[in-house]
């Protein structure tokens, strides 16, 4: 063996789990090598790792982390592998099993909704323990999805009576006045992502029932004015597109026994002209208020298609060059 290289050999007792980790024709092991520069051999129930010390250690931790997930019933998909590696890169002492196995809810289609990264786990923990939480980071990091999952959990557990989901009716390059139809038709495109998250977790029948009974409300931010929201879990999505006045109005609607989660991406502000973002303002004036927490997400937290992370990085590099 060349100087500077390390070899590790270890065995997995359970043959079924060993095969899950390897994947069809070693597809999972090959996927690991896309992220970690290491040689991975497999024979019998053993793995053989060769490479530089840091890479071998990361590959070993990744495989043993996946084993723990498989022992809890995970089928070991590429997304599981990516999540485990990202967690270990951020913190090589992290308990991967503890992070990825935390169950928030089980969706209508029997999908387990859980945090997929260290930052997501911290976000969920803050939502559990604080009444006002800001989730800030790029698209695809699970800010809104996890907030909706936590809202449904609070509703099912009887800690709140209703869920209110809202967004400012501002999007890139569009104004409400240029959209066809009445007000309801005009705001529907802006609220669609919130409906999508609800649909995935509850299914169409339950959503319809909850909406009819006003247990769940999905409405543009303007509809919040003048209301006091008691016993509610309130989510303000796309908060970077609120004005300072809108943000203050929203935050002061919160009533007794209520939680508010505010999500946004401060790099994607679509407000017209020189209008200041309410989300940018609260980062300055509320950062030291007890009972209010801020959770931040990074590109590594992106849980959409893996290409999304590359797209965001490409745009960032382009903008850094001053184009």
């Amino acid at each position: 063996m060349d100087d500077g290289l390390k070899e590790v050999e270890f065995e997995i007792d359970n043959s079924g789990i060993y095969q899950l980790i390897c994947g069809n024709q070693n597809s999972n092991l090959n996927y690991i090598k896309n992220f970690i520069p290491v040689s991975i051999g497999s024979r019998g129930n053993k793995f053989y790792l060769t490479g530089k010390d840091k890479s071998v250690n990361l590959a070993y931790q990744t495989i043993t982390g996946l084993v723990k997930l498989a022992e809890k019933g995970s089928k070991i998909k590429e997304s599981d592998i990516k999540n485990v590696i990202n967690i270990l890169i951020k913190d090589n002492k992290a308990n991967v099993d503890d992070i990825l196995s935390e169950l928030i809810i089980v969706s209508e289609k029997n999908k387990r909704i859980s945090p997929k990264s260290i930052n997501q786990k911290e976000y969920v923990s803050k939502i559990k323990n604080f009444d006002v939480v800001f989730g800030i980071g790029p698209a695809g990091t699970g800010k809104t999805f996890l907030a909706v999952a936590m809202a449904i959990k609070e509703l099912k557990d009887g800690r709140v009576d209703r869920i209110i989901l809202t967004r400012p009716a501002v999007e890139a390059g569009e104004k409400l006045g240029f959209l066809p139809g009445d007000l309801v038709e005009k705001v529907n495109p802006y609220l669609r992502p919130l409906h999508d998250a609800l649909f995935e977790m509850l299914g169409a029948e339950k959503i319809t029932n909850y909406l009819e009974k006003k247990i769940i409300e999905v409405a543009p931010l303007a509809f919040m004015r003048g209301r006091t929201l008691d016993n509610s879990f309130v989510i303000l999505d796309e908060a970077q597109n609120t004005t300072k006045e809108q943000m203050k109005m929203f935050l002061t609607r919160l009533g007794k026994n209520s939680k508010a989660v505010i999500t946004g991406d401060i790099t994607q502000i679509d407000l017209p002209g020189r209008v200041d973002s309410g989300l940018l303002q609260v980062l300055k004036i509320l950062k030291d208020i007890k009972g209010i927490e801020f959770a931040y997400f990074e590109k590594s937290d992106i849980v959409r298609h893996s290409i999304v992370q590359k797209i965001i990085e490409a745009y960032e590099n382009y903008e850094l060059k001053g184009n």
Side-chain angles (χ1 to χ4, degrees):
M1 184 173 64
D2 294 337
D3 290 340
L5 292 182
K6 177 180 181 179
E7 284 186 350
V8 170
E9 172 187 324
F10 60 102
E11 186 171 359
I12 305 299
D13 293 334
N14 187 308
S15 296
I17 288 178
Y18 175 81
Q19 290 301 324
L20 272 179
I21 303 303
C22 291
N24 186 31
Q25 296 183 333
N26 284 340
S27 59
N28 286 340
L29 300 183
N30 291 330
Y31 190 71
I32 291 172
K33 290 189 285 185
N34 287 335
F35 299 92
I36 307 173
V38 66
S39 170
I40 307 177
S42 57
R43 188 169 61 254
N45 272 21
K46 290 185 177 181
F47 291 110
Y48 305 87
L49 309 179
T50 306
K52 292 186 177 180
D53 188 77
K54 188 175 180 180
S55 296
V56 168
N57 289 341
L58 180 56
Y60 174 78
Q61 287 179 296
T62 298
I63 292 173
T64 53
L66 292 170
V67 168
K68 290 180 180 179
L69 289 181
E71 288 172 345
K72 290 198 171 182
S74 174
K75 300 300 181 185
I76 308 302
K77 305 181 291 296
E78 287 186 354
S79 59
D80 295 317
I81 298 170
K82 178 175 174 285
N83 292 334
V84 168
I85 292 172
N86 281 337
I87 289 169
L88 291 171
I89 288 174
K90 187 174 178 67
D91 180 0
N92 62 11
K93 295 180 180 178
N95 188 331
V96 172
D97 178 45
D98 179 54
I99 293 169
L100 297 179
S101 297
E102 179 183 345
L103 177 66
I104 301 174
I105 58 168
V106 177
S107 75
E108 194 71 10
K109 295 181 180 179
N110 210 32
K111 178 183 175 182
R112 293 172 60 88
I113 310 296
S114 304
K116 304 297 182 187
S117 70
I118 292 173
N119 287 335
Q120 285 194 358
K121 184 174 175 61
E122 289 177 354
Y123 178 56
V124 168
S125 178
K126 286 178 178 179
I127 293 173
K128 284 180 183 176
N129 295 306
F130 296 91
D131 290 338
V132 179
V133 176
F134 289 82
I136 299 167
T141 50
K143 305 182 300 293
T144 304
F145 190 77
L146 288 173
V148 172
M150 288 297 295
I152 292 170
K153 177 176 173 57
E154 295 278 301
L155 181 68
K156 287 184 172 181
D157 291 347
R159 285 190 282 270
V160 296
D161 297 331
R162 59 181 172 167
I163 298 170
I164 298 172
L165 310 174
T166 185
R167 296 177 108 193
V170 177
E171 291 293 340
E174 291 186 308
K175 302 286 188 297
L176 285 179
F178 293 102
L179 295 175
D182 61 21
L183 181 60
V184 174
E185 290 174 330
K186 285 181 178 182
V187 300
N188 272 341
Y190 301 99
L191 302 176
R192 186 76 256 167
L194 298 173
H195 279 288
D196 290 345
L198 286 169
F199 181 83
E200 181 166 345
M201 294 181 211
L202 293 175
E205 187 176 338
K206 241 176 216 176
I207 289 175
T208 301
N209 181 42
Y210 283 165
L211 289 172
E212 286 175 354
K213 293 180 177 179
K214 301 291 186 184
I215 294 172
I216 293 179
E217 291 183 53
V218 185
L221 182 58
F223 284 23
M224 297 298 106
R225 190 174 299 278
R227 301 181 63 181
T228 300
L229 306 174
D230 293 330
N231 303 309
S232 302
F233 195 115
V234 194
I235 299 171
L236 170 57
D237 192 32
E238 298 290 341
Q240 75 275 4
N241 290 330
T242 60
T243 65
K244 293 184 290 185
E245 294 77 15
Q246 286 174 325
M247 179 62 79
K248 181 180 178 182
M249 179 273 291
F250 172 79
L251 291 173
T252 54
R253 298 308 92 203
L254 203 62
K256 296 176 182 177
N257 190 41
S258 290
K259 280 183 179 285
V261 178
I262 301 96
T263 69
D265 178 0
I266 57 177
T267 69
Q268 297 292 327
I269 297 171
D270 299 314
L271 289 166
R274 297 185 177 182
V275 177
D276 292 331
S277 168
L279 182 59
L280 287 178
Q281 186 187 54
V282 297
L283 290 176
K284 300 173 185 175
I285 65 176
L286 299 183
K287 59 185 177 67
D288 296 322
I289 303 297
K290 189 175 181 180
I292 296 177
E293 285 290 314
F294 292 84
Y296 294 92
F297 296 87
E298 304 163 357
K299 293 188 295 290
S300 60
D301 297 304
I302 291 173
V303 290
R304 292 179 184 170
H305 194 294
S306 57
I307 199 69
V308 173
Q309 186 172 339
K310 295 177 183 177
I311 290 170
I312 290 173
E313 289 172 351
Y315 270 95
E316 287 180 349
N317 291 334
Y318 181 81
E319 288 163 2
L320 283 173
K321 292 176 182 176
N323 294 302

